[in-house]
Amino acid sequence: MLVKDSVNKQTLQKLKEKLDKGLMPQWAVTDKDIYELERRQIFGKTWQFLGHESELKEPGSYVTRWIASDPVLLVKTNSGEIKAFLNSCTHRGAHLCTADFGKKKTFTCPYHGWSFNLEGELVGVVSGKKVYGEKMIKDEWGLRPIPKVGMYQGLIFASLDHQAMPLEDYLGDMKWYLDILLGRSDGGMEVRGVPQRWTAQANWKMTQENFASDPYHVQTNHRSTVELGISPSDPNFASYGHQIVLGNGHGLSIMTSATGKSPYKYQTLPESMWPMFQRNLSPEQNEIFSNATVFVGGMFPNLAFDSPVHGMEGEMINYLNLRIWRPLGPDKVEVWCWFLIDKAAPEEYKEKAYKSYVGSFGPSGTLEQDDTEVWARIIQVSDALMMEDKELSYNNVNNYLLGEDVFEPVENFPGPGVAYPSTYTDNLARSIQKRWFELISKGLLDEEEDSQ
Amino acid sequence: MSMELQFPNTQVNSELQHEITQFLYHEAYLLDHHMYQEWHDLLTDDIIYRMPLRVTTERRDGSNIVDDMTYFEETKKSLETRVKRLYTKSAWVEDPRTRQRHYITNIMIKPGANSDEYNVRSYFYFKRSRASEHQIEEIIGEREDIIRKVDGQWRIAARTIIPDQTVLTVMNLSMFL
């Protein structure tokens, strides 16, 4: 008999009871059985971020990406369409293209030489009919397309699920805020170079929460950057503003200042760009954007963004950072971090924005370094037996009661979603957990499905 | 970006080779012993300190180093900010302190663009032990430096750090390389 219960209906029911009270049982964060459910029911079902359209410059451009453990080949076809395939040869399954990016007309497997064009069609079979005869229908052996591919404001997503809801429905009200971050400038945003990649001891849920819904950690964890003038100078800067809970486990915090207006109008972007913002965005979006110091949030399950102001040489500069937490197990993530800036920004500003990013986020970032420390500390204790106790005989639940009974949603917030009048609240974290639970428990708690 | 240092490396005498080698060992000692201010003093005011990204590319697509995106894109001033941070009470990643070793090898030197400068290539092997973790983190690669003599003292005027991994397996880059 197993000492520890596997995840069954009863444990899920208890998990739900705790979550409903704002308590996250610690065992569930890194549990191996839960992780397997996450892999199949979350990463196998939801829309996953693959990259930005500016990374695929011309026909034949490609990048290779991962959806958790599924290798993805993302290409721009001759007609300019973006397509995604399983990056695995259809002959023996070998990893087809191991380069990070490049430009090609055909992809040839180094094993037996089968080759595929940008449409994923099998166009070359070594020795062809001599060995396969007339029976082989090449059309049946093309690369396997990723079931769903979609794009919003230049962000390319895909889903392994044929039944996935349309991307725009999935993003829902988040689109309104993505329009501010990505659609404010003529020509949109552009990725500089390639994403930074590194591995961290971390659980993907905790890193997502760290970015998407937890401004409360900034005050302590990132205090050094306030002391040194890398971050806005008010030690409480991350608390002012609103936390906005959107549907589907998405949401964000929009930080302002003690006065409700940012000292950095339009996040320090040059005044010459403001009329363009006013033209491309609605008055409500402009009101929010012009008064914001930081936008930080996430799209379920593992895409997070940060559009802050930071600077290593005293001057505050804005940029957009997108990141995914690719899970490599319950206790390890591979972080992919993209730097983006408005294509229409002056070159001088773009350069400063890039330096501001490198100094603040990514593996060498003066903020992110301290994040990695705390992600690892959660993992280091995760095997504790006391955390496995599913009864409340020990205090083995994490606290998600920040702001509970303190902050009520505000009325007349200019944007969609449920907005709370402080970023120091766990409302968004709880909505992410709610979505997470719905997906991992799907079919396991439902009476009708169980009886079938 | 390569300085094309060719072997055999006979362009500097053994005394100079020894001096510069000892200078780089001294630098590594300061870093490994958390003497970051003293390390910062070894840099010239106009230092360019960079760490581009390594990527996997097919040979036909050329270089496997991406210069447009980096892990470090630093000036003396931004490095000063990074150094000062390590002396605050809330640079949690280095408090408790990690234990670090910089192994610097394969030092190749040739005269630089100016009479007081030398182009120096070295390999690095960095190991780090954190708290009571059993696994030791590591990162390897090479560095291309410009070492300059300023008022009789060796100084680092430029450094490009090129990692070998495309996906770093150190959990952060809280160190200097």
Side-chain angles (χ1 to χ4, degrees):
Chain A
M1 189 183 126
L2 288 171
V3 172
K4 183 167 151 313
D5 293 337
S6 61
V7 177
N8 55 32
K9 200 168 164 177
Q10 196 187 1
T11 48
L12 284 172
Q13 193 58 51
K14 283 185 178 168
L15 180 53
K16 186 170 188 307
E17 284 165 19
K18 298 285 190 297
L19 289 175
D20 287 345
K21 292 179 194 160
L23 308 171
M24 175 72 169
Q26 233 170 323
W27 67 268
V29 175
T30 52
D31 183 83
K32 290 180 180 62
D33 296 331
I34 291 275
Y35 177 70
E36 198 47 35
L37 286 171
E38 291 170 348
R39 229 165 60 80
R40 292 173 189 283
Q41 304 197 174
I42 296 179
F43 291 91
K45 299 286 184 192
T46 54
W47 282 96
Q48 290 282 310
F49 180 65
L50 293 179
H52 186 262
E53 63 174 341
S54 64
E55 295 181 89
L56 297 168
K57 291 197 168 47
E58 50 197 343
S61 293
Y62 72 88
V63 295
T64 55
R65 299 284 142 95
W66 294 86
I67 295 178
S69 38
D70 287 55
V72 178
L73 177 61
L74 189 66
V75 302
K76 188 168 231 179
T77 67
N78 287 326
S79 64
E81 203 182 339
I82 287 169
K83 292 199 168 180
F85 304 100
L86 188 69
N87 188 5
S88 162
C89 179
T90 54
H91 176 229
R92 285 291 192 275
H95 195 184
L96 181 62
C97 177
T98 57
D100 296 327
F101 62 88
K103 199 182 163 204
K104 271 160 115 63
K105 291 197 177 85
T106 54
F107 295 87
T108 302
C109 179
Y111 198 174
H112 303 86
W114 285 27
S115 56
F116 305 86
N117 66 14
L118 297 168
E119 300 289 339
E121 295 161 335
L122 177 63
V123 291
V125 176
V126 172
S127 297
K129 285 177 184 162
K130 270 191 279 179
V131 288
Y132 283 99
E134 297 294 335
K135 269 192 183 167
M136 184 187 201
I137 301 167
K138 279 191 189 162
D139 289 355
E140 292 178 352
W141 296 98
L143 292 178
R144 289 150 288 191
I146 304 298
K148 296 266 186 182
V149 178
M151 183 149 71
Y152 188 77
Q153 289 283 18
L155 306 183
I156 304 164
F157 291 83
S159 175
L160 303 181
D161 181 11
H162 289 277
Q163 312 291 323
M165 68 175 90
L167 175 63
E168 296 220 0
D169 295 348
Y170 182 81
L171 295 172
D173 285 337
M174 180 56 93
K175 286 185 297 180
W176 195 88
Y177 298 96
L178 290 178
D179 290 346
I180 300 176
L181 297 171
L182 302 157
R184 64 205 188 190
S185 285
D186 300 341
M189 305 295 276
E190 60 187 8
V191 168
R192 176 168 170 144
V194 297
Q196 298 169 323
R197 294 164 69 188
W198 78 103
T199 59
Q201 286 183 71
N203 177 267
W204 70 270
K205 296 186 290 297
M206 301 310 289
T207 49
Q208 177 70 1
E209 169 194 306
N210 178 228
F211 263 77
S213 62
D214 184 24
Y216 181 48
H217 81 281
V218 175
Q219 198 166 340
T220 302
N221 191 236
H222 302 308
R223 192 172 71 206
S224 69
T225 65
V226 172
E227 277 181 45
L228 290 164
I230 300 165
S231 295
S233 56
D234 186 331
N236 301 316
F237 83 91
S239 71
Y240 308 120
H242 295 85
Q243 183 173 87
I244 300 135
V245 179
L246 304 167
N248 280 346
H250 311 319
L252 74 163
S253 293
I254 301 176
M255 298 165 191
T256 54
S257 77
T259 66
K261 286 189 189 298
S262 174
Y264 312 99
K265 191 165 182 189
Y266 283 113
Q267 298 190 291
T268 78
L269 285 155
E271 202 166 339
S272 60
M273 297 173 77
W274 298 357
M276 177 173 67
F277 301 150
Q278 285 150 12
R279 193 176 71 241
N280 289 332
L281 302 175
S282 71
E284 292 78 14
Q285 287 169 321
N286 269 291
E287 183 189 337
I288 286 180
F289 182 25
S290 62
N291 289 317
T293 301
V294 181
F295 294 85
V296 60
M299 282 156 269
F300 191 84
N302 65 330
L303 169 61
F305 60 84
D306 185 22
S307 172
V309 295
H310 291 295
M312 293 295 281
E313 304 195 15
E315 189 184 1
M316 293 291 131
I317 300 289
N318 173 243
Y319 59 80
L320 175 63
N321 169 221
L322 293 176
R323 52 186 51 235
I324 57 167
W325 322 101
R326 175 192 168 203
L328 297 175
D331 55 2
K332 192 173 180 185
V333 294
E334 184 178 290
V335 192
W336 291 60
C337 240
W338 288 258
F339 163 83
L340 296 96
I341 191 68
D342 308 61
K343 204 175 277 181
E347 288 305 317
E348 189 195 359
Y349 192 89
K350 288 184 189 180
E351 198 64 20
K352 284 183 187 171
Y354 151 65
K355 288 184 177 172
S356 165
Y357 164 68
V358 172
S360 49
F361 282 95
S364 65
T366 49
L367 284 92
E368 187 127 15
Q369 289 175 27
D370 291 328
D371 286 316
T372 66
E373 173 71 24
V374 291
W375 303 338
R377 288 194 186 203
I378 293 171
I379 297 303
Q380 282 154 10
V381 299
S382 63
D383 281 338
L385 287 174
M386 277 176 69
M387 289 177 197
E388 286 185 16
D389 192 328
K390 294 180 183 65
E391 305 306 320
L392 202 52
S393 53
Y394 298 111
N395 186 21
N396 58 359
V397 286
N398 289 331
N399 178 310
Y400 286 87
L401 299 168
L402 182 68
E404 179 92 350
D405 302 328
V406 179
F407 303 117
E408 291 298 324
V410 296
E411 290 180 13
N412 305 322
F413 186 71
V418 180
Y420 291 85
S422 169
T423 67
Y424 281 10
T425 143
D426 280 330
N427 281 290
L428 179 50
R430 288 174 68 170
S431 81
I432 296 171
Q433 290 169 351
K434 186 164 175 273
R435 183 66 184 141
W436 165 78
F437 184 80
E438 282 166 9
L439 289 176
I440 61 160
S441 64
K442 199 171 182 187
L444 296 174
L445 269 189
D446 188 90
E447 296 292 339
E448 283 177 40
E449 287 191 41
D450 279 357
S451 62
Q452 276 170 7
Chain B
M1 68 176 323
S2 168
M3 289 191 286
E4 291 179 24
L5 285 166
Q6 299 293 325
F7 193 82
N9 180 28
T10 54
Q11 296 186 53
V12 298
N13 63 41
S14 56
E15 194 181 334
L16 188 67
Q17 174 87 28
H18 179 73
E19 255 188 64
I20 289 179
T21 300
Q22 289 301 311
F23 173 67
L24 293 179
Y25 289 173
H26 173 63
E27 184 209 358
Y29 178 87
L30 294 179
L31 289 174
D32 292 343
H33 293 78
H34 317 286
M35 297 163 79
Y36 302 112
Q37 307 271 23
E38 291 82 352
W39 172 77
H40 191 253
D41 291 342
L42 298 185
L43 314 177
T44 62
D45 291 343
D46 61 346
I47 186 168
I48 298 169
Y49 182 96
R50 315 185 70 233
M51 183 171 176
L53 265 59
R54 184 76 84 166
V55 287
T56 306
T57 49
E58 295 196 353
R59 280 168 61 183
R60 59 200 288 277
D61 286 320
S63 172
N64 64 359
I65 296 163
V66 166
D67 228 18
D68 275 357
M69 184 45 66
T70 58
Y71 296 111
F72 286 109
E73 185 71 84
E74 309 297 315
T75 60
K76 180 120 186 208
K77 173 97 173 137
S78 69
L79 285 170
E80 184 186 0
T81 305
R82 288 181 181 274
V83 163
K84 278 188 175 166
R85 197 185 90 82
L86 295 170
Y87 290 89
T88 65
K89 286 180 182 155
S90 52
W92 310 110
V93 70
E94 288 295 333
D95 188 9
R97 276 177 177 163
T98 62
R99 282 79 56 184
Q100 310 181 357
R101 296 289 162 194
H102 291 71
Y103 298 98
I104 306 300
T105 70
N106 301 54
I107 297 167
M108 296 169 74
I109 305 169
K110 76 172 194 179
N114 301 309
S115 62
D116 55 352
E117 287 180 355
Y118 292 87
N119 294 340
V120 180
R121 173 174 295 181
S122 57
Y123 292 180
F124 67 88
Y125 189 176
F126 172 88
K127 306 281 277 186
R128 180 167 70 185
S129 169
R130 300 175 49 79
S132 51
E133 284 171 28
H134 298 176
Q135 199 175 341
I136 292 183
E137 293 183 293
E138 64 180 32
I139 179 167
I140 57 173
E142 65 183 53
R143 310 185 303 190
E144 293 173 353
D145 295 345
I146 296 173
I147 306 290
R148 184 189 299 161
K149 200 152 220 179
V150 180
D151 299 331
Q153 302 288 321
W154 291 111
R155 294 286 179 261
I156 304 163
R159 171 160 295 165
T160 302
I161 303 149
I162 303 169
D164 286 343
Q165 286 170 298
T166 62
V167 183
L168 303 182
T169 52
V170 286
M171 61 189 254
N172 56 55
L173 293 168
S174 66
M175 77 298 274
F176 299 103
L177 292 165

